[in-house]
Amino acid sequence: MHSHVSLLTDYGLHDEFVGVMKCVITDLAPHARITDITHGIPAFDVRAGSLALARAIQYVPPGIVIAVVDPGVGSNRRAIAIEVAGGQGVLIGPDNGLLASAAAMAGGAERVFELSNTDLHIDAPGTTFAGRDIFAPVAAHLCNGGAIEDVGPEIDSATVMPGLVPIPTVEKHDSYGEGLRCEVTWVDGYGNCQLNVGPDEIAQFGKTVRLVMGDDVRSARIASHFAEIDGGAIGAVVDSYGMVALAVDRGSAAETLRLSAGDAVLVFTGSGDGQTSAVSIRSAK
C-alpha cells in the first residue's frame, strides 16, 4: 500500500485544478500524504516537465508520482502507470514523453499499465481534466492497497514514448575546431542556465573554453570557487544536480546572455586571447 503522492503539473496555482486533484485523492484515500514538486511547468511544455521530473525523481519519497503536462488530453494518447524500483514507486501520467526520463533515473520501467479501467475513473461531463478524472482516482486506488493490475492491461515498456532529454553532440567549426553543441535545458527562477553537460565533459577543453551563443562569443575560464570569478563576470556553476550552469553572481545569466531553454551553447577550446569576457566554472553554494 502506498501512502505518499507527489504532484508535478503545468496547472499553475491561479485556478482550482491542483486543489481539486488533491481533494479527489484525499476524499478517496484519506490517509494519503501529498507533496507538490511543482505546478509551475510552462503550459503545454512536455519537455520542461520531463526534465523537471527527471531532476527531482531521486529525491521523491517512495510512493506515487502524478505528472500532468498533457496538451493531448482527451485525444487517443494513452494514460499510463509505470512501476519502478521493485514496486516502491509508480509514475502516473500521459504517455507523451513526460515520464520516461524519470523512470530511467529511477532504475528503469519494470512494468507499464494502460489506465483503461474506467471503473476506477470519475464520471465527468468532458474529457479535458484527466488529472481529476483519471490520474487522481487511480492514485487513490493504489494508496488504498488496490493492485496495479486493476488499472488496465499491462503493455510493452518499449512502446512508451521515449524521454525528451537532449544529448550534447560533437560540433566542428571552421575557426574554432572540434567542440560540443550543448543546450540550455533549464532556466531557473534566478536566471541560471543549466546545460546538458557535466563538468568532466567541459574539462576536456582545458582551463579556458570558448562559448559560442549565436553571434555572442565568450572566453570561459574554468575556476573552482567564487573567489576566482572577476566582479561582474559570467560564471558557470556545477549546480546542485551536477550539471554545468551559466550564472551571474546575484544576477541573471539568462538576461545577460539572452538565453532561453532550448538555446544552443557551443563549447570549444579557448584561445585566451582576451577578446571576449571571462566565464568561470565554480561550485554552487
Side-chain angles (χ1 to χ4, degrees), residues 154-268:
E154 185 172 357
I155 59 177
D156 186 351
S157 61
T159 68
V160 172
M161 187 172 290
L164 305 172
V165 178
I167 298 173
T169 57
V170 174
E171 178 81 8
K172 292 185 178 180
H173 193 281
D174 290 342
S175 300
Y176 307 141
E178 187 172 289
L180 283 180
R181 174 178 286 269
C182 304
E183 185 175 316
V184 178
T185 55
W186 176 39
V187 177
D188 69 16
Y190 297 98
N192 301 314
C193 300
Q194 186 187 72
L195 304 179
N196 61 330
V197 65
D200 291 342
E201 295 168 284
I202 292 290
Q204 67 178 295
F205 298 106
K207 294 183 178 180
T208 300
V209 298
R210 179 183 276 109
L211 305 179
V212 179
M213 297 152 287
D215 294 331
D216 192 6
V217 181
R218 306 282 179 126
S219 176
R221 181 173 55 83
I222 297 177
S224 61
H225 52 81
F226 287 109
E228 292 185 353
I229 301 172
D230 296 331
I234 303 297
V237 303
V238 179
D239 70 12
S240 58
Y241 296 102
M243 306 302 287
V244 172
L246 304 181
V248 174
D249 193 19
R250 287 168 284 187
S252 170
E255 291 182 4
T256 301
L257 299 173
R258 299 183 299 279
L259 288 175
S260 301
D263 286 348
V265 177
L266 310 183
V267 181
F268 302 94

Side-chain angles (χ1 to χ4, degrees), residues 9-276:
T9 77
D10 64 349
Y11 289 162
L13 298 175
H14 179 74
D15 299 302
E16 71 274 13
F17 303 137
V18 173
V20 168
M21 275 186 64
K22 292 181 177 181
C23 287
V24 170
I25 294 167
T26 54
D27 181 47
L28 296 175
H31 69 285
R33 297 180 298 118
I34 302 175
T35 297
D36 299 296
I37 299 173
T38 181
H39 300 291
I41 302 300
F44 317 123
D45 195 338
V46 176
R47 179 179 178 277
S50 172
L51 290 165
L53 187 59
R55 291 192 300 267
I57 195 67
Q58 59 188 307
Y59 304 104
V60 172
I64 299 162
V65 175
I66 301 176
V68 190
V69 183
D70 195 12
V73 64
S75 70
N76 60 359
R77 70 95 184 94
R78 296 183 300 190
I80 59 173
I82 302 177
E83 189 177 56
V84 297
Q88 293 187 62
V90 179
L91 311 182
I92 293 175
D95 181 18
N96 61 2
L98 181 63
L99 306 178
S101 295
M105 291 289 290
E110 295 172 355
R111 294 191 294 172
V112 183
F113 296 85
E114 185 173 1
L115 309 185
S116 59
N117 181 3
T118 56
D119 290 342
L120 298 180
H121 305 170
I122 292 176
D123 291 333
T127 61
T128 63
F129 196 177
R132 175 195 66 192
D133 303 331
I134 300 175
F135 304 140
V138 167
H141 164 78
L142 297 176
C143 286
N144 287 329
I148 193 170
E149 292 84 358
D150 294 339
V151 306
E154 185 172 357
I155 59 177
D156 186 351
S157 61
T159 68
V160 172
M161 187 172 290
L164 305 172
V165 178
I167 298 173
T169 57
V170 174
E171 178 81 8
K172 292 185 178 180
H173 193 281
D174 290 342
S175 300
Y176 307 141
E178 187 172 289
L180 283 180
R181 174 178 286 269
C182 304
E183 185 175 316
V184 178
T185 55
W186 176 39
V187 177
D188 69 16
Y190 297 98
N192 301 314
C193 300
Q194 186 187 72
L195 304 179
N196 61 330
V197 65
D200 291 342
E201 295 168 284
I202 292 290
Q204 67 178 295
F205 298 106
K207 294 183 178 180
T208 300
V209 298
R210 179 183 276 109
L211 305 179
V212 179
M213 297 152 287
D215 294 331
D216 192 6
V217 181
R218 306 282 179 126
S219 176
R221 181 173 55 83
I222 297 177
S224 61
H225 52 81
F226 287 109
E228 292 185 353
I229 301 172
D230 296 331
I234 303 297
V237 303
V238 179
D239 70 12
S240 58
Y241 296 102
M243 306 302 287
V244 172
L246 304 181
V248 174
D249 193 19
R250 287 168 284 187
S252 170
E255 291 182 4
T256 301
L257 299 173
R258 299 183 299 279
L259 288 175
S260 301
D263 286 348
V265 177
L266 310 183
V267 181
F268 302 94
T269 300
S271 65
D273 56 17
Q275 295 177 2
T276 53

